[in-house]
Amino acid sequence: MKALILVGGFGTRLRPLTLSFPKPLVDFANKPMILHQIEALKEVGVTEVVLAINYRPEVMLNFLKDFEDKLGITITCSQETEALGTAGPLALARDKLVDGSGEPFFVLNSDVISEYPFAELIKFHKSHGGEATIMVTKVDEPSKYGVVVMEEATGMVEKFVEKPKIFVGNKINAGIYLLNPSVLDRIELKPTSIEKEVFPRIAADAKLFAMVLPGFWMDVGQPRDYITGLRLYLDSLRKRSANRLATGAHIVGNVLVHESAKIGEGCLIGPDVAIGPGCVVEDGVRLSRCTVMRGVRIKKHACISNSIIGWHSTVGQWARIENMTILGEDVHVGDEVYTNGGVVLPHKEIKSSILKPEIVM
């Protein structure tokens, strides 16, 4: 089987992290976002993953070469010279996706984090005999999204309603699809939306089915959702393989600590924290609801909450970082500095406090 991951463009919503790495390579729970997807695809027998990309493909491919060998899976790029929307890239990668076997292929949005129940998706797709299956997830406020209206019993999709004013349902497209090769005959090589143009036409022919995604779902393409996604992911990890989470007197709730990270005395860490490889957390540090990426040093008695600390940054003694502060790569925050929602671009030194949310160039 094959899979196409829609990687797309510049990852502007996750800047300043995406100034250092393409968005799919930004760490989420201590590994690049896209690797969560590739590992789950490999588990259900996918042998080739195609990345649809229009920005710095060489960076992606160089990085993923290591994982190709480790996972025993082929990773190639299909590069757009112009933005082709969410369906155009399928037409562009047609030759890579169709091998004459007639097997369906996966299509994923690269920002989506979930438990990836691909085995159940394959089973459901083969049982209904339609042309395409989309995964849907239930949301509390459907009026902010495009809602999928479907028959509960069969899963057949009746129609899509964009940002409904009155309640028509609470299921939205989760950005995970399984499509028969025949779907490619419906897509032209031009900028096209799979959600707004292709799927409604398949639904009109009564060949589009939806499966409700079990477990959690989050689009982690922007900082607030990234932090929420981390909480949901760690909750799910607690249920699936709790032994991967940290334990000890200094740990509160769900915390993921890389084995190469060092943590000092008298710290309080958690809930919902990921500490990456090679990090050093000195004595008396307090961390909650945050991600600390590879190679970061957090000095004594610093306090970090609801924030993302980019690669190889340093946080000074008694510093306080909170309220969706994002430090890009190699940012150095001085001792006793306070940052309230500061977004700091890479390679900066912060010597004075950031009292209200602002971007530091």
Side-chain angles (χ1 to χ4, degrees):
M1 283 185 88
K2 298 188 176 188
L4 179 84
I5 301 180
L6 296 165
V7 172
F10 302 108
T12 44
R13 297 179 304 160
L14 260 190
R15 282 181 183 162
L17 301 170
T18 48
L19 295 172
S20 300
F21 291 92
K23 184 170 56 178
L25 300 185
V26 169
D27 297 325
F28 178 86
N30 292 353
K31 64 182 162 194
M33 281 186 205
I34 201 163
L35 206 54
H36 292 273
Q37 297 185 329
I38 293 173
E39 286 175 353
L41 288 165
K42 164 76 179 158
E43 265 178 44
V44 292
V46 169
T47 53
E48 187 175 338
V49 175
V50 182
L51 308 177
I53 189 167
N54 60 18
Y55 172 61
R56 293 167 74 188
E58 63 292 339
V59 181
M60 291 281 290
L61 282 178
N62 291 344
F63 186 89
L64 292 167
K65 273 283 165 271
D66 302 348
F67 296 107
E68 266 197 318
D69 305 336
K70 263 184 224 162
L71 294 169
I73 193 166
T74 308
I75 302 171
T76 58
C77 270
S78 169
Q79 190 184 0
E80 306 164 35
T81 47
E82 59 165 339
L84 291 171
T86 49
L90 277 73
L92 186 65
R94 184 187 180 112
D95 295 347
K96 293 178 188 283
L97 294 171
V98 176
D99 55 7
S101 68
E103 280 291 305
F105 58 89
F106 289 97
V107 177
L108 312 181
N109 285 348
S110 67
D111 296 353
V112 168
I113 288 286
S114 75
E115 285 170 13
Y116 306 123
F118 294 147
E120 293 93 315
L121 178 57
I122 294 169
K123 198 170 155 193
F124 175 68
H125 181 78
K126 294 198 165 158
S127 72
H128 64 60
E131 205 172 342
T133 306
I134 64 175
M135 286 208 126
V136 294
T137 184
K138 293 178 181 174
V139 290
D140 296 334
E141 285 185 56
S143 61
K144 294 198 301 200
Y145 303 92
V147 172
V148 180
V149 181
M150 57 189 268
E151 276 180 18
E152 291 300 320
T154 62
M156 186 184 284
V157 174
E158 294 167 15
K159 59 179 177 179
F160 296 83
V161 183
E162 196 56 40
K163 297 185 177 165
K165 295 281 180 283
I166 53 166
F167 185 83
V168 291
N170 65 345
K171 297 180 192 71
I172 66 164
N173 177 345
I176 297 172
Y177 320 128
L178 190 55
L179 312 177
N180 287 354
S182 58
V183 170
L184 294 169
D185 300 333
R186 299 173 177 267
I187 303 171
E188 291 177 57
L189 182 51
K190 61 177 193 186
T192 319
S193 162
I194 199 165
E195 301 86 356
K196 292 179 179 159
E197 297 173 66
V198 181
F199 287 155
R201 291 203 293 268
I202 304 176
D205 293 344
K207 289 185 173 173
L208 181 65
F209 289 77
M211 173 181 158
V212 179
L213 180 76
F216 79 99
W217 175 88
M218 200 73 215
D219 176 331
V220 293
Q222 50 193 352
R224 200 167 292 281
D225 296 337
Y226 177 106
I227 293 290
T228 304
L230 182 64
R231 173 174 62 79
L232 297 171
Y233 174 84
L234 293 175
D235 270 350
S236 154
L237 198 57
R238 165 81 59 200
K239 297 184 189 103
R240 288 177 297 140
S241 42
N243 59 333
R244 287 175 52 199
L245 294 170
T247 53
H250 61 299
I251 300 288
V252 184
N254 299 332
V255 175
L256 191 62
V257 179
H258 192 270
E259 67 235 7
S260 63
K262 294 183 170 57
I263 295 177
E265 299 293 310
C267 294
L268 190 57
I269 295 175
D272 308 322
V273 172
I275 299 174
C279 290
V280 176
V281 178
E282 294 184 3
D283 298 351
V285 166
R286 173 76 180 102
L287 303 177
S288 64
R289 292 180 299 283
C290 64
T291 284
V292 179
M293 292 184 182
R294 184 177 60 252
V296 166
R297 184 174 205 101
I298 299 171
K299 296 186 178 173
K300 291 177 181 173
H301 307 293
C303 177
I304 301 174
S305 66
N306 283 306
S307 296
I308 301 173
I309 311 299
W311 309 269
H312 306 289
S313 292
T314 341
V315 175
Q317 297 186 27
W318 295 100
R320 186 182 181 100
I321 292 183
E322 62 187 27
N323 190 25
M324 294 315 304
T325 290
I326 306 170
L327 305 185
E329 181 184 17
D330 179 43
V331 167
H332 303 283
V333 175
D335 294 349
E336 299 179 29
V337 166
Y338 169 61
T339 156
N340 170 24
V343 172
V344 185
L345 272 65
H347 316 299
K348 291 270 170 260
E349 193 169 352
I350 303 295
K351 293 177 177 170
S352 55
S353 292
I354 300 170
L355 300 176
K356 61 179 196 301
E358 62 176 292
I359 295 171
V360 178
M361 310 288 274

